[in-house]
Amino acid sequence: MTKVERILAAINFADVDRVPSGEFNLDDNFVAKLLGLRNDVSFEDRVEACERCGLDAVAFGLENESGNQARVWAELKRWREETDFFIFALIDGPFQGTAKLFSSFTNYLLAIAQGDPIIPELVQQVAATNLELGLDALALGAHGIIIADDIAYNGGTFVSPAALRLNFFPGLREQVKIIQREKAPVFFHADGDLRKVLHDIIDSGINGLHSLDFPSLEEISEVRKTTENRVCLMGGYDLGWFEEEKRIERAYNLLEVTSKGGGYIFGSSAGILGSAQTPQNVLEVYQFVNNYQSNRVMNSHNS
């Protein structure tokens, strides 16, 4: 299977030749350590690093600032034309995008709590602006869209589920509906504990859920059961696990919970590998993941 075929198969809960893998980004510091570089990291170096890790998917964050936007567009287009990776484009969701318009996150939360009438107006503007960015990215060759909307932390959502349902989830549903008209899969990214609004997120029509930033495998297993055969999961491997002696066991336990029956893309919860990760450890984990399915088949035949 090609990388694109493998990711699409996972999204559609179809058979795959191995568990697909994806990260948003490999930080240049990580790439330099992995490849032993002393000079600046080039496009070719970034591609080689992704290949060494066995990644199938990468992602590009889209920005509203025109100066940065031109660079991102050029980079996305080059990855599409010169590599065979599945390319996600990252756009802000209604909650996260609107937060950037406030002087502080505290002021933003206060405005929501107080029912400030400016919130619905700003949300509508933000959702429309980021939707346009996503459609432009698809026109340039992106295969799918990830709506990044950090609505939660480890203790739950930043604002009440009722406030999210009133002010933000309608905009999310609209973004998903319009993007899917382009026959492109849409993933939702958020850190933290989403369980109180998980059904709302699923009902928005998303094809995938990224991060799986939960305290334990029990919570991830709960989410897998809730999303079974409806939403592809992506991520779940904590960055700190790469540095543990039991890193392979961590990967095995995660795959046992998430990958049976398809609908899973392996990756870190953060989506970004940086200088804190030891390259050899990362390669060891990814090699195990890439061989996981074939080893299971072999073991089942031998038993």
Tab-separated table of all heavy atoms in Angstrom, residues 261-282:
chain	number	residue	atom	x	y	z
A	261	GLY	N	-9.267	-4.091	14.624
A	261	GLY	CA	-10.434	-3.715	13.837
A	261	GLY	C	-10.217	-2.512	12.961
A	261	GLY	O	-11.134	-2.058	12.277
A	262	GLY	N	-8.986	-1.985	12.950
A	262	GLY	CA	-8.664	-0.840	12.097
A	262	GLY	C	-9.079	0.477	12.712
A	262	GLY	O	-9.459	0.567	13.877
A	263	GLY	N	-9.000	1.524	11.908
A	263	GLY	CA	-9.418	2.830	12.379
A	263	GLY	C	-8.455	3.471	13.351
A	263	GLY	O	-8.889	4.181	14.267
A	264	TYR	N	-7.147	3.242	13.166
A	264	TYR	CA	-6.164	3.847	14.069
A	264	TYR	C	-4.899	4.224	13.308
A	264	TYR	O	-4.414	3.466	12.467
A	264	TYR	CB	-5.802	2.907	15.216
A	264	TYR	CG	-4.741	3.488	16.129
A	264	TYR	CD1	-5.005	4.623	16.892
A	264	TYR	CD2	-3.469	2.922	16.206
A	264	TYR	CE1	-4.032	5.176	17.711
A	264	TYR	CE2	-2.487	3.458	17.023
A	264	TYR	CZ	-2.773	4.591	17.777
A	264	TYR	OH	-1.809	5.148	18.574
A	265	ILE	N	-4.361	5.405	13.648
A	265	ILE	CA	-3.084	5.891	13.112
A	265	ILE	C	-2.179	6.162	14.300
A	265	ILE	O	-2.498	6.993	15.160
A	265	ILE	CB	-3.275	7.181	12.292
A	265	ILE	CG1	-4.232	6.935	11.119
A	265	ILE	CG2	-1.931	7.707	11.782
A	265	ILE	CD1	-4.724	8.208	10.441
A	266	PHE	N	-1.052	5.468	14.376
A	266	PHE	CA	-0.139	5.636	15.512
A	266	PHE	C	0.584	6.978	15.433
A	266	PHE	O	0.929	7.459	14.355
A	266	PHE	CB	0.898	4.517	15.542
A	266	PHE	CG	1.896	4.657	16.662
A	266	PHE	CD1	1.587	4.222	17.941
A	266	PHE	CD2	3.129	5.259	16.435
A	266	PHE	CE1	2.500	4.377	18.987
A	266	PHE	CE2	4.042	5.420	17.467
A	266	PHE	CZ	3.724	4.974	18.748
A	267	GLY	N	0.839	7.557	16.599
A	267	GLY	CA	1.619	8.787	16.686
A	267	GLY	C	1.649	9.277	18.116
A	267	GLY	O	0.984	8.721	19.000
A	268	SER	N	2.411	10.320	18.347
A	268	SER	CA	2.458	10.904	19.677
A	268	SER	C	1.198	11.720	19.932
A	268	SER	O	0.540	12.180	18.998
A	268	SER	CB	3.690	11.800	19.824
A	268	SER	OG	3.580	12.948	18.998
A	269	SER	N	0.873	11.897	21.200
A	269	SER	CA	-0.280	12.725	21.550
A	269	SER	C	-0.041	14.175	21.162
A	269	SER	O	-0.966	14.874	20.748
A	269	SER	CB	-0.555	12.639	23.057
A	269	SER	OG	-0.903	11.334	23.434
A	270	ALA	N	1.195	14.617	21.293
A	270	ALA	CA	1.532	16.014	20.994
A	270	ALA	C	1.550	16.295	19.499
A	270	ALA	O	1.222	17.392	19.057
A	270	ALA	CB	2.875	16.375	21.608
A	271	GLY	N	1.959	15.304	18.717
A	271	GLY	CA	2.044	15.490	17.275
A	271	GLY	C	3.354	16.079	16.803
A	271	GLY	O	3.584	16.223	15.608
A	272	ILE	N	4.238	16.420	17.733
A	272	ILE	CA	5.524	17.029	17.376
A	272	ILE	C	6.630	16.338	18.151
A	272	ILE	O	6.584	16.257	19.379
A	272	ILE	CB	5.544	18.541	17.689
A	272	ILE	CG1	4.450	19.257	16.905
A	272	ILE	CG2	6.899	19.144	17.361
A	272	ILE	CD1	4.305	20.728	17.262
A	273	LEU	N	7.641	15.833	17.455
A	273	LEU	CA	8.818	15.260	18.093
A	273	LEU	C	9.921	16.303	18.079
A	273	LEU	O	10.240	16.865	17.026
A	273	LEU	CB	9.271	13.996	17.361
A	273	LEU	CG	8.231	12.881	17.219
A	273	LEU	CD1	8.853	11.661	16.565
A	273	LEU	CD2	7.630	12.520	18.566
A	274	GLY	N	10.510	16.564	19.264
A	274	GLY	CA	11.498	17.634	19.380
A	274	GLY	C	12.804	17.177	19.993
A	274	GLY	O	13.107	15.972	20.061
A	275	SER	N	13.577	18.130	20.475
A	275	SER	CA	14.922	17.856	20.979
A	275	SER	C	14.917	17.014	22.247
A	275	SER	O	15.938	16.422	22.607
A	275	SER	CB	15.655	19.174	21.234
A	275	SER	OG	14.922	19.987	22.142
A	276	ALA	N	13.789	16.960	22.959
A	276	ALA	CA	13.718	16.171	24.194
A	276	ALA	C	13.632	14.673	23.917
A	276	ALA	O	13.828	13.863	24.831
A	276	ALA	CB	12.525	16.606	25.037
A	277	GLN	N	13.339	14.301	22.664
A	277	GLN	CA	13.215	12.880	22.330
A	277	GLN	C	14.538	12.346	21.774
A	277	GLN	O	15.149	12.984	20.903
A	277	GLN	CB	12.096	12.648	21.304
A	277	GLN	CG	10.698	12.696	21.878
A	277	GLN	CD	10.270	14.094	22.290
A	277	GLN	OE1	10.256	15.006	21.465
A	277	GLN	NE2	9.938	14.277	23.555
A	278	THR	N	14.948	11.190	22.270
A	278	THR	CA	16.167	10.540	21.791
A	278	THR	C	15.854	9.840	20.469
A	278	THR	O	14.992	8.945	20.436
A	278	THR	CB	16.674	9.511	22.813
A	278	THR	OG1	16.889	10.169	24.067
A	278	THR	CG2	17.969	8.868	22.338
A	279	PRO	N	16.526	10.223	19.384
A	279	PRO	CA	16.187	9.652	18.078
A	279	PRO	C	16.190	8.131	18.028
A	279	PRO	O	15.292	7.522	17.433
A	279	PRO	CB	17.262	10.250	17.156
A	279	PRO	CG	17.594	11.554	17.797
A	279	PRO	CD	17.528	11.297	19.268
A	280	GLN	N	17.195	7.496	18.642
A	280	GLN	CA	17.259	6.046	18.589
A	280	GLN	C	16.053	5.408	19.266
A	280	GLN	O	15.527	4.393	18.806
A	280	GLN	CB	18.559	5.540	19.248
A	280	GLN	CG	18.811	4.056	19.040
A	280	GLN	CD	18.799	3.649	17.566
A	280	GLN	OE1	19.370	4.339	16.714
A	280	GLN	NE2	18.127	2.548	17.248
A	281	ASN	N	15.598	6.022	20.359
A	281	ASN	CA	14.411	5.498	21.045
A	281	ASN	C	13.163	5.625	20.170
A	281	ASN	O	12.321	4.735	20.123
A	281	ASN	CB	14.186	6.246	22.360
A	281	ASN	CG	15.272	5.988	23.382
A	281	ASN	OD1	16.154	5.147	23.164
A	281	ASN	ND2	15.234	6.700	24.492
A	282	VAL	N	13.064	6.772	19.497
A	282	VAL	CA	11.920	7.000	18.611
A	282	VAL	C	11.920	5.978	17.471
A	282	VAL	O	10.878	5.380	17.151
A	282	VAL	CB	11.951	8.438	18.045
A	282	VAL	CG1	10.878	8.622	16.968
A	282	VAL	CG2	11.754	9.455	19.167
